[in-house]
Amino acid sequence: MKNYKIISDYQKWQAVVSCDRDYDGTFFYGVKTTRIFCRPSCKSKTPIQDNVVFFDNAATAIESGFRPCKRCCPDNIVFEPELEVIKKAKDIFNATYNMQANLDYVSRQLGVSINHLIKLFKQHTEFTPIQYITKIRVDKAKELLKQGDISILEIALATGFKSLSNFYKCFKDKTGYTPCEYKKSRGEL
Ligand SMILES: [Zn+2]
């Protein structure tokens, strides 16, 4: 993920020369002689560097009088890097909810700082990453409690809670019920 770094014109040019898909959506380039603009990954002939102008988004390119390339259709790109980070983070959390949460590791995987990850989460979901993970854990615990034949301690550990007391607290916070009450109701609550 290169979306959160300031990209220098040199890096942009390198991306254009190498048709680097990783940069798609992070900037666009126009060719002054043809008045056409492209995504970095466009496979059309590399233009002469002096003729290239960079744009942060397709709208600016169009406003500046450039037409979208028919080959790479840069105006069709809907690139929402922030939502992409959230989606990837959620995928990781969904896959690892029963392990100890390691935001440092996850944010490094996504190429953002922990603080930025937390900020994005708060902006685009109603949760912090930890609240989100807790929600997954409680949801999974609810499924297991409904089954009725697994002990509450086993469920707590299987869903990533470090202790029974932590499990009770989080479960009650989220659902309003204790795990015991929920288990007895077989999910009717
Ligand atoms: Zn193109």
Side-chain angles (χ1 to χ4, degrees), residues 29 37-39 42 44 69 71-74:
Y29 72 95
F37 75 100
C38 289
R39 322 175 179 219
C42 185
S44 59
C69 166
R71 192 164 176 178
C72 65
C73 303

Side-chain angles (χ1 to χ4, degrees), residues 83-102:
L83 296 183
E84 190 68 8
V85 169
I86 303 275
K87 193 188 161 296
K88 285 186 180 162
K90 282 183 174 177
D91 286 347
I92 295 174
F93 294 148
N94 281 311
T96 59
Y97 70 91
N98 56 352
M99 297 182 232
Q100 190 176 348
N102 187 338

Side-chain angles (χ1 to χ4, degrees), residues 15-16 18-19 22 49 51 58 60 63 70 85-86 101-102 118 120 126 130 132 137 143 158 186:
V16 170
S18 58
C19 305
D22 281 356
Q49 189 172 5
N51 291 337
T60 318
E63 277 164 27
K70 291 217 166 61
V85 169
I86 303 275
N102 187 338
I118 294 171
L120 286 182
E126 55 194 302
I130 295 297
Y132 182 80
R137 288 175 175 169
E143 280 172 34
R186 295 264 169 159

Side-chain angles (χ1 to χ4, degrees), residues 14 22-23 26 58 61 75 81 86-88 106 112 120 140 172 185:
Q14 292 305 314
D22 281 356
Y23 285 88
T26 61
D75 51 333
I86 303 275
K87 193 188 161 296
K88 285 186 180 162
V106 173
V112 297
L120 286 182
K140 298 280 177 190
K172 179 117 194 188
S185 79

Side-chain angles (χ1 to χ4, degrees), residues 90-150:
K90 282 183 174 177
D91 286 347
I92 295 174
F93 294 148
N94 281 311
T96 59
Y97 70 91
N98 56 352
M99 297 182 232
Q100 190 176 348
N102 187 338
L103 291 189
D104 184 42
Y105 175 77
V106 173
S107 56
R108 265 189 284 123
Q109 292 271 301
L110 297 172
V112 297
S113 70
I114 293 186
N115 286 341
H116 193 64
L117 182 66
I118 294 171
K119 192 174 132 240
L120 286 182
F121 246 81
K122 281 192 196 154
Q123 255 168 24
H124 294 284
T125 74
E126 55 194 302
F127 307 108
T128 64
I130 295 297
Q131 286 168 336
Y132 182 80
I133 295 167
T134 305
K135 183 183 172 302
I136 304 172
R137 288 175 175 169
V138 169
D139 286 346
K140 298 280 177 190
K142 279 160 85 176
E143 280 172 34
L144 295 174
L145 286 166
K146 274 186 222 172
Q147 294 174 18
D149 48 0
I150 313 166

